[in-house]
Amino acid sequence: IKEGEVLVSNHPQMAGGSHLPDITVITPVFFRGSIIFFVASRGHHSDIGGISPGSMPPHSTRIEDEGAAIVAFKLVRKGEFQEEGITDILMAPGKIPGNSGTRNLSDNLSDLKAQVAANQSGIQLLRQLVEEYGLETVRAYMVFIQSNAEVAVRSLLKEYASKHGNSARAVDYMDDGTPVSLRVELDPSTGSA
């Protein structure tokens, strides 16, 4: 990937997405010719095709029924927004019998362009931080933030385990009444789950 290029992805099984309407736009941050960070923005798109408008239709039997699935696509190539390519991807579910391509293409394109712009703002701010404080200091604070988040979550899980035991359970129900059960085992000494 080169400076000025942008990737897009939404596939929950192959690319770390949450569900198909949550489309992630990813842009590398270059500094002195090398990638130093990535910035990303995830936007929920109201429709990306599939068997019904919206997201996660209860009668879908395969991921394609939920809309356009993007493992990775270069949304911006050589500084140019790839409108034709992303349009083809967003309309592709309509090639499957019973499915439709996106029903809001102009909204999708506008939202994707806004996500690209948001990433550019993030890049500018990161570059300003690097210029002002130096790359090693900014990298160190990125690690500090991640470490602090880990400590906070582990502390929360330890506290939960001390009050409620080493196991947490929850049940929710699908539209057809099918139960979805979750059980999380907690290690009260480490805060691991």
Side-chain angles (χ1 to χ4, degrees):
I1 189 164
K2 299 179 179 103
E3 193 162 5
E5 294 184 331
V6 179
L7 301 172
V8 64
S9 178
N10 72 340
H11 202 293
Q13 295 168 329
M14 300 177 72
S18 51
H19 72 141
L20 294 181
D22 289 343
I23 299 178
T24 305
V25 171
I26 307 150
T27 310
V29 180
F30 281 82
F31 183 71
R32 296 183 182 146
S34 296
I35 296 174
I36 57 169
F37 300 113
F38 287 89
V39 294
S41 56
R42 179 170 283 173
H44 181 82
H45 292 246
S46 63
D47 187 81
I48 56 163
I51 59 175
S52 65
S55 64
M56 298 173 27
H59 304 294
S60 55
T61 58
R62 56 187 177 189
I63 196 162
E64 292 82 8
D65 290 343
E66 297 182 18
I70 310 162
V71 175
F73 175 73
K74 207 172 269 188
L75 184 62
V76 177
R77 182 185 304 269
K78 297 181 181 174
E80 296 291 325
F81 186 82
Q82 301 297 300
E83 187 164 331
E84 184 178 333
I86 195 64
T87 296
D88 290 346
I89 290 169
L90 292 169
M91 298 308 292
K95 296 176 183 174
I96 300 169
N99 283 358
S100 171
T102 181
R103 296 161 187 89
N104 297 314
L105 180 61
S106 63
D107 287 355
N108 296 127
L109 295 175
S110 295
D111 290 346
L112 288 168
K113 289 175 183 177
Q115 288 178 254
V116 169
N119 285 6
Q120 290 306 312
S121 291
I123 289 170
Q124 289 173 356
L125 292 170
L126 274 170
R127 285 184 178 153
Q128 286 174 1
L129 283 173
V130 170
E131 290 292 340
E132 187 171 344
Y133 297 104
L135 180 57
E136 293 312 310
T137 299
V138 174
R139 278 190 174 147
Y141 274 91
M142 296 280 186
V143 172
F144 297 156
I145 290 167
Q146 291 172 340
S147 297
N148 184 61
E150 178 184 358
V151 168
V153 171
R154 286 184 184 277
S155 177
L156 176 77
L157 292 174
K158 286 178 188 179
E159 182 180 338
Y160 180 92
S162 73
K163 292 180 181 176
H164 305 285
N166 299 350
S167 181
R169 299 170 191 248
V171 177
D172 202 353
Y173 299 90
M174 303 289 284
D175 292 344
D176 66 359
T178 303
V180 177
S181 300
L182 171 70
R183 179 177 164 182
V184 179
E185 293 295 322
L186 305 172
D187 182 336
S189 63
T190 65
S192 295

